[in-house]
Amino acid sequence: MASVNASASVDATDALFGRPTLEDLHGDNHYANLARKIWANKKKPPKVQPKVVKEEIWDQLEKDEFALGKLLLLEQLQLLEGYLWPGFGENASNWHVLLTAMMVGAKKRENLPSWELLGDKPAEFSILFRRVLSMTIDPSLPLPIRSHLLAFVIGAFQSLDNGLVRKGCVPLVSISIWHNLHDETVREQKFEHNPLAKKSWRAATKRYDAGDDEIKSKLRFERSWLYTLLLDFFNKIYDTTKLKSEDNLLYCERVMELLTDLQSQLPTRRYVNSLLQDLNILMVVQLSPLHQNPGNGLFQDMFSLLRHYTHFPIDDQSGQQYSTEEYHRNHDTKLANLQRIALKRLNQKLEVLALANVRALSQRAEVQPELEKLSDDELGELCAQLHLRTDYPATCHVVRDRTFILEVILATLTRRPTFQETIKRMTILPTEHSLYDASFNRNAEYNGSRPLAIPKLNLQYLTMGDFLWRSFILHRCESFYEIRSHIEDTVKRMQPHPAGVTTKFEGFSRLALPIAKPAILETASAKVGDVQPALVRSEVILDVQHLNYNARREWETLRQDDVVYLVGVHAGNDPLALSNGTSHSLQATKLGIKYIRCAEVMQVQDEKGRPLREQSANQTDGFERRVRQRRLILRLDPVAYQEDIDRSASGKPDVYESINLLIRRRARENNFKPVLESIKRLTLSDVPAPSWLKEVFLGYGDPAGASYKQLPNKLKSIDYRDTFLDWTHLIESLAGKAIEPNEEAQSSFGPPYVLETTATKVQDDGPPPSKKRRRNQEDVPKPTAMETVQVSTYKPPNTGPYPTDAPKLNTIRFTPTQIDAITSGTQPGLTVIVGPPGTGKTDVATQIINNIYHNFPSQRTLLIAHSNQALNQLFQKIVALDIDERHLLRLGHGEEELETEASYSKHGRVESFLEIGGRFLAEVDRLAKSIGAPGAHGNSCETADYFNLVYVKPLWKQYWDVVATGTQDAQQIISAFPFHAYFSNLSVPLFPQDPSRDEVVEIVSGCYRHIEKIFSELEDIRPFEILRSARDKENYLLIKEARIVAMTSTHAAIRRQAIAGLGFHYDNVIMEEAAQITEIENFIPFALQNPSDAKSSSSFSKEKDMPLQRIVLVGDHLQNNPIIQSSAFSQYANLEQSLFLRLIRLGVPNIMLDAQGRARASIAELYKWRYPTLQNLPNVLSQPEFLIANAGLRYEYQFIDVQDYKEKGESQPSPHFIQNLGEAEYAVALFMYMRLLGYPASKISILAAYAGQRALIRDVLSHRCKGNRLFGMPKTVSTVDRYQGEQNDYIILSLTRTTRPGYLRSLRRLTVALSRARLGLYILGRRAVFEAVPELHAAFDLLFQRPDSLRIVTDELFPTPRLLDGDVGEGIEMTGVEHLGQYVFEMTKAKVEAIKKGEGALPAPDQAGAGASAAGYEEEDDSAGLVGDSERFEQELDEEQAATL
């Protein structure tokens, strides 16, 4: 445990720069006292006093230099919603406006609702927004204040999904800003290419001319705001007196952030880009003193990002991305225009340019000398002919000299690489240069005070290429951040110390081994066009003699292509540690990290160089020869190797001489290389989204444009099979629709149902409405169309006489909302299903799959989930439906966890096919014997097919032709049936007594279908007999046989190229946990196949299209989003955004399931406020398990206030590793109490808010319960984040924090935490901490209505007959952890004494330890996603040391 002083220092830092503590909120400080005095806990918001705003709040903040910690304190004290905003009006002071803007920024930083708080007063918001805009261009305001205001504006442009915000932002970037173009000719040229733009210009002009003076003033301000801001920005970057001003630099960085955001979204870019290019912004910034100052690295990087978007290959008006050829062709057109001008006006001086080829004109070195020949006037004339601006207002400080004009012309002519050409050169394997680059250090040290030079994931994207480019850049940065953190942490554990001229490692980590320098075994020649070697093979000797068996096996089982890290560590003050020219972080310098190189495993060998074979499963250490060494054959990064060779050739030290440590990562964390390669290939390949989805995916057009109701290929008729259980269920599910039974039906009838939907227009006899809208005119609702559903049925065919032939039918009575979701998912197009906890979203997804499978036999469906567990739950439900198991395939390592008899992996499916083939061939032999056919017909699938063609089909045809004549009665048909002998093994007679003719015909038809199925399956199995290679068999299974293929999103990203390269084709994607998956993980499953050719509007050209029919996204955006480790990428770049959430924000139609059947109704009330329409299914109101009380516990849910234990609350032994011993002891004591009462261990799970607390609870459990049959271990000990998607009957939840709420202030995580329990939820926490958080009141107010100390009921054992509402008083109070611990001790003592006397028995071993499964304790798998867990479990030192024993 960390010392109290260490915790105090952490708290002091947090108080100054971080989130407020409980003491800050309730203590004796200026802001807390002011809040209690003026606005806190007031029934009616007080009137705003300008003196208080200025002197008590603003002046104090100014004195505190607007420290982030103070702003966050005021935010949590509800300054905005409790005081500033209720009193905001037209006469609000400037300080009032500034504070309001700052508080909005503080809320956005904490990911809390901000714009929604202001939405109740739209008129006041308009005033606020206008005044903020005015103040951003007010030069009299200090720059720090204007920076805060710019942050407000930037946040607004990132929230265009909010109608109120959009109304304020759109006029600032409308076509009216083209009034600021320097020449009308430029504007007219743009109109020539874009007639719609000309139409918009005329409409804007007309609107201005029709306005009064007030409206004209408003419109003038809106169209000039950005232009004015830019001119002021130019003055700031050219002001040489402020080159060292941090305030000036921060302000300019914020302007660059705003401009980049405007350029990165099409609606804001459409007219802004023309203005920026007209102002020559790139040249103006590049030539400015601020940019040329080498100390302003962030500003320079932000300029590069702005340049990327300014030159992005896209048509600003149409949004069409230019191909590389089109982009360069457009550039060549500009060069041709220059040549025409040179010939016509400056032929004598520019004759060389006029006659030069395009390539020469694109080279700066070729063009600049020719332009230097022109005089200043001639350069000005050339700019005028090229329509380039050279004049700026007199107040503008831009230096307009000859150099500037030359650079403007050269910038127009220079050929620039496209983003694809740039990304092609970017490496995927990091070195110390990329991990410790200055820009990367800024990302790693992000605290929100400054912007970053990284792209953001916005509400909209320019093109698919833009989306993929951003995703690659951000995921590469995030991967490098994780690698860097892991290397630093591992080196720290190894404890390097100087030992003479070398470095000695005195610590231990099971993920690292000291090594001698790697030996280079082979260097292959470079490929044509490359400089680096094609292959660099190296050998590393591992000394494993001091490792125990498990630790050594982890090294021995490294897989081919696993990435390992060769690190050179120089401990001490060795200057060599910093001699590589890299800006190391303080941590790396302290640890002595000098070099980092990546290598891929090729082979693991024994001491004699022989490849290691798999060890026998039953081999133990006791009988194994002591192993001293292992050889690791590695493939080095050829690019880095070539750079190192060049470096050595120049006289610098050899990098590989300094390598002395080998580091690996766990497999689930180390998949970055194949993932980044997949994203990179997609970026380079111009892979499209399906044409019907493209606009919705990019965020443009009609949000409903991809839903089935808007698509031309909407299905008119759907066979719902077993979706509806009966006619009543059908009527209930289609409420509000006109249901018409089939004409042949006289009354209601049973399933299956085929529904055909038509829209009947309601007649409207009134006059047509006028197109002109009059003042005060009321909206008249338009007549809506009534949907008419025609219902028909059919008799399902008899599938055979055996019980196994009977189809498996759905038994779930779906709710009307679930039926809507199933209907939408079965139809083509995009379906978004929001599934609150316990609402059966997995059942809905399963039924959609079932309907698609039977309605579209030729289509194939891809199932995707974030975690293996969710995928396996979905797969197990699919297996239980009427889906042929030979059409199911599960890819990835999670298949082993499937609780099914059959194996659904590729290898398991192949084996299953061959095994089934053997059974069917035996059936063929039996059939041949039954009809007296001589020969060995069951030898192979080929002989079986011959037998079917020669014997079975002719025999059946001869029989059926007679039956079809209709001349034979039932007995004659039975007598003539040729397969009596084959079906003689039935347990019941094949034909009933006295059957009708129709019954007999149906039975014999079913018998033949059974026989047909045998030969049909053998026909599918036949290729597996012919193919010899196991790989060929598995690939054939994937691309030909499987119709439902399941994998995790991470597996899809890793294997994308291999799967698409096989020619894999699919028609549908169904994605579970879609809200937990990053956007690129959402997208990659859409692109696991190669696009097909789709004819474009031009008959002479073809465009690529992705042949998907339907996409179904199932998730819950109100629960956890993707987990990102770095705050720079999660908060600033918005990498934690999922496609699911973005589509919801864009207004894409979604279906929210509205009835839960998981938890008691009372427990569901704790999170129902997040889902206003959520109701309870009848089962939770009527089934006994939901009505019976929890034995020995007074309440079914309770918040238990846990005070300091041994005078200590939360502690932090290492950064982000937060623990609370009191809550850990309480959780274990409560678990032991429940076990003593007879609760099954498998029904109890313990959750913690932090990974550190999870580790501590496991330690306490191991000490008190493990190996003790009275208690055993709970089913799961997990973090809240990890437990999403799971449930258990009883949950013990430790909130851990005692000083501040931490990340549990996030409503998403709180929703997950409260919704995991079915029958009992017991929350351990510090009441005062969560009582002080306004956002959590809806849930905690319910919890706090009950006593906050545990109340137990005596003389009860599990299960109890007591009803939930039974009157047993308040129960016995447990006053603290010591009290509960003593009570459990006495109970245990009494239990043991009773057992000794023979009055009781110990639980069976399987009951005592039912929960201690590998799955319950979260073994690693391949479902981690592209990013890691925010509370990644750090290796503990005692675990590390145990590996050496």
Side-chain angles (χ1 to χ4, degrees), residues 950-1118:
V950 174
Y951 289 94
V952 179
K953 284 188 174 181
L955 186 61
W956 172 257
K957 185 177 186 303
Q958 180 183 359
Y959 169 72
W960 188 251
D961 287 345
V962 175
V963 173
T965 61
T967 59
Q968 293 185 321
D969 59 21
Q971 289 303 321
Q972 290 174 322
I973 296 174
I974 293 174
S975 300
F977 185 57
F979 303 116
H980 273 290
Y982 176 74
F983 291 104
S984 61
N985 62 348
L986 285 168
S987 58
V988 296
L990 180 59
F991 298 99
Q993 291 184 351
D994 302 325
S996 67
R997 185 182 189 281
D998 291 341
E999 288 177 327
V1000 173
V1001 171
E1002 182 181 352
I1003 291 172
V1004 298
S1005 299
C1007 289
Y1008 187 64
R1009 288 191 185 94
H1010 174 86
I1011 294 172
E1012 276 188 317
K1013 183 180 179 184
I1014 293 174
F1015 292 106
S1016 171
E1017 295 219 11
L1018 286 173
E1019 183 65 26
D1020 288 339
I1021 295 169
R1022 187 174 177 181
F1024 297 96
E1025 284 188 346
I1026 299 172
L1027 296 170
R1028 295 304 176 193
S1029 163
R1031 181 183 294 273
D1032 290 341
K1033 292 177 181 179
E1034 293 172 359
N1035 290 341
Y1036 179 86
L1037 175 68
L1038 173 63
I1039 63 178
K1040 292 293 185 183
E1041 192 63 33
R1043 286 179 52 197
I1044 298 175
V1045 180
M1047 67 186 79
T1048 63
S1049 55
T1050 305
H1051 187 83
I1054 292 172
R1055 301 289 298 165
R1056 188 262 161 194
Q1057 190 65 22
I1059 293 173
L1062 290 172
F1064 179 57
H1065 167 76
Y1066 54 99
D1067 306 274
N1068 316 297
V1069 175
I1070 296 178
M1071 195 174 295
E1072 260 272 34
E1073 300 181 317
Q1076 290 181 259
I1077 303 175
T1078 59
E1079 279 212 72
I1080 190 62
E1081 287 181 288
N1082 285 127
F1083 177 78
I1084 288 177
F1086 305 161
L1088 284 183
Q1089 58 187 331
N1090 293 320
S1092 60
D1093 290 332
K1095 288 188 178 181
S1096 66
S1097 57
S1098 170
S1099 59
F1100 298 101
S1101 64
K1102 286 186 177 181
E1103 295 179 353
K1104 296 290 185 180
D1105 193 15
M1106 198 60 71
L1108 284 179
Q1109 298 292 315
R1110 53 183 62 77
I1111 294 172
V1112 181
L1113 302 180
V1114 184
D1116 184 3
H1117 60 291
L1118 298 180

Side-chain angles (χ1 to χ4, degrees), residues 58 244 323 333 380 472 574 599 809 1102 1105 1232 1305 1321 1329:
W58 180 263
K244 296 184 179 181
S323 66
T333 302
F472 177 77
D574 185 356
L809 300 177
K1102 286 186 177 181
D1105 193 15
M1232 296 168 67
R1305 195 180 180 191
L1321 175 63
V1329 170

Side-chain angles (χ1 to χ4, degrees), residues 1391-1437:
K1391 182 83 171 179
V1392 172
E1393 292 296 328
I1395 292 173
K1396 288 181 179 179
K1397 295 177 181 178
E1399 298 174 359
L1402 284 170
D1406 59 335
Q1407 295 177 350
S1413 63
Y1417 286 85
E1418 301 167 352
E1419 291 297 321
E1420 309 288 348
D1421 56 34
D1422 67 353
S1423 65
L1426 305 190
V1427 293
D1429 192 333
S1430 60
E1431 275 86 44
R1432 183 178 53 184
F1433 181 48
E1434 299 185 12
Q1435 302 164 306
E1436 297 180 83
L1437 287 176

Side-chain angles (χ1 to χ4, degrees), residues 185 255 291 375 437 484 547 604 612 648 692 714 734 755 814 829 1040 1110 1194 1200 1222 1234 1299 1419:
T185 308
V255 175
H291 180 271
S375 65
D437 178 76
R484 169 174 155 168
L547 301 181
V604 183
L612 284 181
S648 298
W692 52 268
K714 173 185 174 183
L734 303 180
L755 305 187
F814 292 110
K1040 292 293 185 183
R1110 53 183 62 77
R1194 172 63 183 86
I1200 301 163
M1234 296 175 72
T1299 59
E1419 291 297 321

Side-chain angles (χ1 to χ4, degrees), residues 868-908:
N868 275 313
Q869 179 179 358
L871 195 61
N872 290 341
Q873 289 175 354
L874 182 61
F875 215 72
Q876 285 163 10
K877 293 192 175 187
I878 293 171
V879 172
L881 292 178
D882 187 29
I883 294 177
D884 195 330
E885 68 173 35
R886 63 196 168 113
H887 294 145
L888 299 174
L889 178 62
R890 170 73 165 87
L891 300 182
H893 295 290
E895 190 273 336
E896 294 87 349
E897 301 169 13
L898 265 174
E899 297 176 4
T900 55
E901 294 181 3
S903 173
Y904 293 94
S905 67
K906 281 202 291 187
H907 178 72

Side-chain angles (χ1 to χ4, degrees), residues 256-454:
M256 293 290 282
E257 180 188 5
L258 173 64
L259 297 178
T260 303
D261 286 354
L262 294 179
Q263 291 283 68
S264 64
Q265 296 190 99
L266 190 59
T268 54
R269 173 195 181 91
R270 183 166 281 126
Y271 306 115
V272 169
N273 189 39
S274 297
L275 176 61
L276 296 187
Q277 296 211 32
D278 180 76
L279 286 167
N280 304 310
I281 188 165
L282 295 180
M283 282 303 99
V284 170
V285 173
Q286 188 172 2
L287 296 174
S288 67
L290 194 69
H291 180 271
Q292 294 181 358
N293 186 343
N296 298 335
L298 174 58
F299 185 80
Q300 293 165 357
D301 290 344
M302 296 193 75
F303 166 77
S304 298
L305 187 60
L306 177 62
R307 180 174 56 194
H308 162 82
Y309 278 116
T310 301
H311 294 308
F312 194 85
I314 184 177
D315 185 312
D316 293 339
Q317 302 304 314
S318 68
Q320 181 68 35
Q321 179 177 318
Y322 296 130
S323 66
T324 302
E325 294 76 13
E326 290 172 330
Y327 179 69
H328 291 315
R329 193 183 306 128
N330 292 340
H331 177 72
D332 293 345
T333 302
K334 295 180 181 178
L335 298 181
N337 183 42
L338 170 66
Q339 288 182 309
R340 285 193 295 270
I341 295 171
L343 279 171
K344 186 175 180 179
R345 297 182 179 274
L346 300 167
N347 188 24
Q348 293 181 351
K349 291 188 176 182
L350 296 182
E351 182 178 3
V352 174
L353 287 186
L355 300 177
N357 59 47
V358 172
R359 182 175 181 82
L361 284 175
S362 301
Q363 304 297 321
R364 181 187 181 97
E366 298 284 342
V367 178
Q368 186 169 353
E370 300 301 320
L371 293 178
E372 293 280 5
K373 299 175 182 177
L374 300 180
S375 65
D376 291 351
D377 293 338
E378 288 171 332
L379 283 174
E381 181 185 355
L382 181 59
C383 285
Q385 293 297 319
L386 293 173
H387 304 294
L388 299 176
R389 178 195 285 262
T390 55
D391 291 329
Y392 293 83
T395 56
C396 183
H397 298 166
V398 174
V399 179
R400 300 177 290 279
D401 55 10
R402 180 182 177 84
T403 301
F404 174 79
I405 296 174
L406 270 173
E407 289 296 330
V408 168
I409 298 174
L410 288 169
T412 306
L413 303 180
T414 304
R415 182 189 294 266
R416 299 175 187 85
T418 65
F419 70 94
Q420 291 169 316
E421 293 169 332
T422 302
I423 211 172
K424 190 175 183 179
R425 297 192 295 267
M426 296 182 69
T427 60
I428 289 176
L429 296 176
T431 66
E432 75 280 357
H433 296 284
S434 52
L435 294 182
Y436 293 102
D437 178 76
S439 60
F440 197 87
N441 286 337
R442 287 192 292 271
N443 297 340
E445 298 162 4
Y446 175 74
N447 61 8
S449 62
R450 305 186 91 95
L452 293 174
I454 54 177

